[in-house]
Amino acid sequence: MLFLGTVNRVKINTPHGRSMLLLGGEMKDIEPLLPATGLFIITDTNVHGLYGRIFPPGVVLTVEPGEQSKTLGKAEELCGRLLQGGADRSSFILGFGGGVVCDLAGMTASIYMRGVRHAFVSTSLLSQVDASTGGKTAVNLGDYKNIIGTFKQPEFVLCDHRMLSTLPEEELQSGLGELIKHAVIRDRNLFFDISASMTKVLDGDPVILGDLIRRAVRIKASVVRRDPLEKGPRRVLNFGHTFGHVLEIYYRIPHGVAVTKGMLLAAELSAWTGDMPHSELRTLESLIEKTGMLPELELPANIVGMMSHDKKAEEGSINMVLLRAVGRAVVKRVPLQEISAFVNFYREGKKANR
Ligand code: GLY
């Protein structure tokens, strides 16, 4: 059991960089890790309003909240503001915010003067459980998610779970999708513990959430240590994302909600290909039902065409993360033709159930 105020340190050391995750910590825990001068804080206007008073001393650069800020143009604009503000190669960027801020601040830190030091204070469930850890940075290219990006490990990530109590319900739900993802790919016990604590989770209870986040982040950290640049095993962390990214852009829904629907589709695909028994699909559905995120979305007409632009697609097939069971994921190359056949089967099934 986790106690508030007790910081849990998890190291991600890779040949490409080292990162220290401070889970359950607070602002005083990062004071010794920050430079005495040359700090630039990238945040969004919402987070600035909520936490600006506890920001460490530094130049604050704000962006508008939301996915529309995750562009190369915005990263370029931030580089311009860094230059104007006197940032040089010894400067330090602190991304203070949720998933969008972490992806954008990481991207900016990795390209400004060919890379400056950076770290995060992660304020949303989505970023605490996923986006801020592992060293992926990203911006979108038009309607395609995370097509431009780099790998650069943040020096540290502070996850103060008390910050989650200010999250709107929709954001909490969205982060829950990524929390569930880690359980579904690797840890059946975590899956049932999330299910048993759902009421407290949806209330944003920082102690319960802190415990679940810590367990999920340990899963992510172990995968990233083995494969920091996503050459192979790390692909498993993309469970639900291939379908999810298409739905996120098409319906303009929050990332984690789209990933949740994407996980259900990937689980349906796993049952359809015979990789997983149908009973496991029902197990996953029953947990997702409890989250209030069982969105009934029509699949876009051109879903397979849109999936073919995904980073995981190569030469007429796509690396899909499928399930053998809840808690056990595998990566398989699936021809786009087979995905088309599945999509038709899925649509027919939905029509028949109407
Ligand atoms: N969000 C998936 C990863 O970091 O690999």
Side-chain angles (χ1 to χ4, degrees), residues 3 11 75 78 94 129 146 179 222 225 250 257 267 293 305 309 315 319 340 349:
F3 297 100
K11 283 185 192 160
L78 285 167
L94 182 68
V129 86
N146 300 343
L179 179 63
S222 73
R225 273 185 218 111
Y250 189 83
V257 177
M293 278 193 292
H309 291 292
E315 291 169 7
N319 284 313
S340 273

Side-chain angles (χ1 to χ4, degrees), residues 130 133-134 136 178 181 220 224 230 234 237-238 241:
D130 188 45
T133 62
K136 277 188 182 175
E178 291 283 1
K181 177 195 81 180
K220 177 157 186 180
V224 172
E230 199 176 296
R234 183 169 177 168
L237 297 176
N238 295 324
H241 283 61

Side-chain angles (χ1 to χ4, degrees), residues 22-34:
L22 302 158
L23 306 174
E26 48 192 323
M27 289 303 287
K28 72 169 171 42
D29 295 313
I30 65 169
E31 278 165 20
L33 306 175
L34 291 169

Side-chain angles (χ1 to χ4, degrees), residues 114-265:
R114 298 205 180 87
V116 293
R117 299 171 64 194
H118 85 294
F120 298 130
V121 176
S122 182
T123 58
S124 72
L125 180 54
L126 186 87
S127 62
Q128 292 198 0
V129 86
D130 188 45
S132 62
T133 62
K136 277 188 182 175
T137 85
V139 292
N140 302 330
L141 182 62
D143 271 353
Y144 294 101
K145 286 270 305 174
N146 300 343
I147 289 292
I148 301 170
T150 58
F151 286 98
K152 183 177 189 293
Q153 293 293 339
E155 287 187 17
F156 65 82
V157 180
L158 171 66
C159 298
D160 181 343
H161 308 310
R162 290 166 310 179
M163 291 179 175
L164 304 178
S165 60
T166 56
L167 282 185
E169 191 183 321
E170 196 183 54
E171 274 207 45
L172 206 58
Q173 269 188 336
S174 176
L176 193 48
E178 291 283 1
L179 179 63
I180 293 170
K181 177 195 81 180
H182 287 95
V184 176
I185 59 170
R186 273 291 168 81
D187 189 340
R188 202 171 170 88
N189 289 337
L190 178 59
F191 179 90
F192 288 110
D193 287 348
I194 296 172
S195 182
S197 351
M198 190 56 77
T199 314
K200 288 195 167 164
V201 166
L202 290 172
D203 280 346
D205 182 314
V207 176
I208 296 292
L209 276 172
D211 180 54
L212 300 173
I213 292 168
R214 184 176 49 80
R215 291 162 66 189
V217 167
R218 282 186 184 279
I219 293 172
K220 177 157 186 180
S222 73
V223 174
V224 172
R225 273 185 218 111
R226 276 181 68 203
D227 180 19
L229 305 183
E230 199 176 296
K231 300 283 184 214
R234 183 169 177 168
R235 289 181 182 149
V236 82
L237 297 176
N238 295 324
F239 178 57
H241 283 61
T242 311
F243 286 115
H245 278 165
V246 172
L247 299 172
E248 181 176 354
I249 293 294
Y250 189 83
Y251 285 106
R252 311 268 163 210
I253 50 177
H255 177 73
V257 177
V259 166
T260 301
K261 178 69 181 168
M263 288 195 287
L264 284 170
L265 284 164

